[in-house]
Amino acid sequence: MVVSFKAKRLILFGATGDLSQRMLLPSLCALDADELLDPELKIIGTARSQLSDSEFRNFAREAVEKYLPNGRRGRIADFINRLSYHPVDVTTPEGFKNLAEKAGGGEQPVAIFLSTAPSLFEPTIQGLRDAGLAGEMSRISLEKPLGTDLQSSKEINDAVASAFSEDRIFRIDHYLGKETVQNLIALRFANIMFEPLWNAQHIEHVQITVGETVGLESRVDFYDDAGALRDMVQNHMLQLLALVAMEPPTHFYADAVRDEKVKVLRALRKVSAKEIVTGQYRAGAIDGKSVPGYDEELGKDSDTETFVALKAHIDNWRWTGVPFYLRTGKRLPERVTEIVVQFRCIPYSIFTNAKTVPNRLVIGIQPEENISLSLMAKVPGLDRDGMRLRSVPLDIAMPDAFVGAARRIAYERLLLDLIEGNQTLFVRRDEVEAQWDWIDAIRQTWTEEGLTPKTYSAGTWGPSSAIALAERDGVTWHD
């Protein structure tokens, strides 16, 4: 069953939180400015804070003015008029009934966005069900983290499934809303030159890097419980890997795309101890400024990893023998998310006096969205002693390639898809659980082998053993 109704009401749980302030309210305002929201759509914010409608509207105005670029604020007043507020303590049943009345009494199509702690998911869903807000005309979106392991993820999914069918559950991974991530699908399946080469016969290895320069910031308690593996690898990085490695779907429809991603996730080989490196940053310098170590920021000793590098294998016909190198960490030299596809060397070179370098495709996701393909080209000159060659990049900066197109926040696409009922860029239950199954096996290996994080200085690319992880295969990380 495909749920195709457009929501007339959008309820934002956690409406006074950081995500709402930085992403959700600015994204909705931008969509409204571009006239992409149904004129009848009403947005209801809810949280424990005791605010009036006017106080919440002032909060939203300040958020939009702070986080949305000037050129995209077109109709702030119109957007603010869509907003109302109703306080709800989700741990008690009181308040849900009045919220339901404000949302149309269950007679209006409703989209619900949960930006709350996972521990509040179950009571929230119970309250929605009891108030009549979980019927066939309602759909729900969940922010990560969806559990801390496979078992807790199943418990969350079971709780949601008790009130909402799978076709009405929208699990968010905001990376999937980024333009360049979506462009990866277009690059692979809309260009004849790539797909025939997209296999083990022509690709030597793949690298996926997600680097952060920040430390703990406001996420102290969450991060020390989660660590880099569960915070970044389990969701964002495995979703990127799945998009790189999946087979062509039959259509660009939600289930067709997600079916192929699940096949990749289930084909991931268990990672051995020698294919894993973990680290924890110590004091160092970022952009010339001294920063404290993780233990100093935390205020105590901890064995939580702030860096992970690993070598993954996909055991299927397309990718057998092709290593996927993944690394992510905090307090690295730069903020970057990129995918590097390294092609194999040419089988034979006719250029006896010139060294050829394998082609490399680099897909930049953040902070800049771009695609670069390195090709061998002749160096200008008479070449009396033989042709000279050099690797040169063909660069496509996405903002430059599409002049005039608005550079959107990832949540704009995801919120609009939630309102309209398009699940293509959302994560299905079996995807989440396949990801957790693989991650749990890695954590079990850590425990069995007694692995603990190695230290690295802030401002470096992690422990030296992470470099060795790739170099013993003759691979150099793309820094």
Side-chain angles (χ1 to χ4, degrees):
M1 176 182 176
V2 177
V3 183
S4 58
F5 64 83
K6 287 188 177 182
K8 300 297 183 182
R9 301 290 184 269
L10 173 63
I11 302 176
L12 300 178
F13 281 84
T16 60
D18 185 60
L19 180 69
S20 176
Q21 185 179 12
R22 291 186 300 106
M23 295 292 177
L24 305 185
L25 293 170
S27 294
L28 289 165
C29 184
L31 292 171
D32 183 72
D34 292 338
E35 300 184 357
L36 294 172
L37 298 182
D38 190 310
E40 297 181 31
L41 178 71
K42 300 297 183 183
I43 301 169
I44 305 167
T46 183
R48 295 180 66 176
S49 305
Q50 295 293 322
L51 300 178
S52 65
D53 285 350
S54 61
E55 287 172 327
F56 179 63
R57 287 169 179 163
N58 289 336
F59 171 86
R61 182 183 296 276
E62 290 175 6
V64 168
E65 290 176 347
K66 182 175 182 179
Y67 292 105
L68 192 62
N70 287 330
R72 304 206 60 212
R73 297 181 191 172
R75 311 188 324 171
I76 293 183
D78 291 341
F79 169 67
I80 295 300
N81 287 335
R82 291 181 184 268
L83 303 179
S84 62
Y85 184 83
H86 184 77
V88 173
D89 180 349
V90 301
T91 62
T92 62
E94 294 82 12
F96 279 97
K97 181 179 179 181
N98 291 336
L99 177 65
E101 291 175 358
K102 202 161 192 173
E107 297 180 2
Q108 293 284 355
V110 176
I112 301 161
F113 191 107
L114 295 191
S115 176
T116 60
S119 60
L120 299 178
F121 285 175
E122 191 165 355
T124 302
I125 290 161
Q126 181 65 46
L128 292 169
R129 183 199 294 115
D130 293 345
L133 285 174
E136 290 298 319
M137 296 298 282
S138 298
R139 62 174 67 102
I140 192 166
S141 178
L142 309 173
E143 265 288 342
K144 74 156 193 166
L146 298 178
T148 58
D149 55 19
L150 179 58
Q151 181 58 40
S152 59
S153 179
K154 285 182 175 181
E155 290 171 1
I156 291 173
N157 281 321
D158 286 344
V160 181
S162 69
F164 295 86
S165 55
E166 182 63 33
D167 59 317
R168 294 187 291 119
I169 302 172
F170 290 64
R171 298 173 189 85
I172 279 190
D173 185 328
H174 72 268
Y175 266 47
L176 299 183
K178 294 181 179 292
E179 285 288 352
T180 317
V181 173
Q182 297 166 51
N183 223 337
L184 175 60
I185 301 173
L187 185 76
R188 285 194 56 192
F189 304 125
N191 296 286
I192 191 66
M193 69 183 74
F194 287 117
E195 189 55 26
L197 305 179
W198 211 262
N199 53 55
Q201 184 178 353
H202 299 99
I203 292 176
E204 179 188 84
H205 72 266
V206 177
Q207 299 179 27
I208 301 176
T209 295
V210 179
E212 299 180 279
T213 57
V214 297
L216 288 176
E217 295 186 305
S218 61
R219 306 175 73 215
V220 175
D221 293 335
F222 165 76
Y223 194 88
D224 197 53
D225 287 338
L229 185 72
R230 290 187 284 192
D231 183 43
M232 294 299 294
V233 180
Q234 185 274 332
N235 41 79
H236 303 325
M237 299 191 77
L238 284 184
Q239 282 294 313
L240 294 178
L241 181 148
L243 289 173
V244 170
M246 72 180 186
E247 295 297 317
T250 54
H251 303 282
F252 191 51
Y253 299 153
D255 279 341
V257 172
R258 297 188 294 182
D259 285 347
E260 298 304 333
K261 287 197 291 177
V262 168
K263 291 177 185 177
V264 172
L265 296 169
R266 289 176 175 167
L268 282 167
R269 184 192 307 171
K270 182 178 178 179
V271 178
S272 67
K274 66 181 181 180
E275 295 172 323
I276 308 169
V277 174
T278 65
Q280 188 183 96
Y281 65 84
R282 290 294 180 263
I286 302 286
D287 294 330
K289 297 180 180 179
S290 296
V291 296
Y294 181 80
D295 52 346
E296 295 174 81
E297 287 189 77
L298 191 63
K300 63 179 181 180
D301 292 337
S302 170
D303 61 359
T304 297
E305 80 287 354
T306 64
F307 177 93
V308 175
L310 56 87
K311 183 167 79 169
H313 298 271
I314 300 169
D315 289 333
N316 62 20
W317 277 32
R318 182 183 289 261
W319 295 111
T320 186
V322 178
F324 283 69
Y325 299 94
L326 281 61
R327 65 173 174 173
T328 183
K330 288 188 173 295
R331 294 297 191 196
L332 300 186
E334 59 182 293
R335 175 176 174 261
V336 61
T337 299
E338 68 178 14
I339 301 166
V340 176
V341 179
Q342 179 73 50
F343 291 91
R344 296 192 183 277
C345 296
I346 57 174
Y348 174 76
S349 177
I350 64 172
F351 307 101
T352 56
N353 295 325
K355 180 182 178 181
T356 59
V357 177
N359 304 126
R360 172 177 280 187
L361 178 67
V362 180
I363 301 166
I365 296 170
Q366 66 180 22
E368 301 299 329
E369 298 177 341
N370 53 61
I371 298 171
S372 177
L373 175 63
S374 65
L375 301 174
M376 294 305 299
K378 177 186 177 297
V379 177
L382 297 178
D383 297 326
R384 305 307 293 163
D385 297 322
M387 187 179 291
R388 293 181 298 152
L389 303 178
R390 181 183 299 169
S391 178
V392 296
L394 295 178
D395 292 326
I396 303 173
M398 302 310 294
D400 295 339
F402 298 96
V403 176
R407 185 172 183 178
R408 298 190 178 277
I409 305 168
Y411 277 93
E412 290 182 56
R413 163 61 70 87
L414 298 175
L415 285 165
L416 190 60
D417 284 353
L418 169 64
I419 292 166
E420 296 181 347
N422 183 349
Q423 289 185 308
T424 304
L425 298 178
F426 294 82
V427 185
R428 204 167 59 190
R429 174 172 183 163
D430 51 356
E431 287 182 75
V432 175
E433 295 182 356
Q435 290 169 187
W436 273 123
D437 189 43
W438 192 67
I439 294 297
D440 282 358
I442 293 175
R443 291 183 58 81
Q444 182 180 357
T445 297
W446 288 1
T447 301
E448 292 173 350
E449 299 292 331
L451 300 179
T452 56
K454 297 175 171 58
T455 59
Y456 64 97
S457 297
T460 66
W461 284 104
S464 58
S465 51
I467 299 173
L469 174 69
E471 285 193 342
R472 64 175 174 240
D473 297 331
V475 172
T476 301
W477 288 104
H478 183 258
D479 294 339

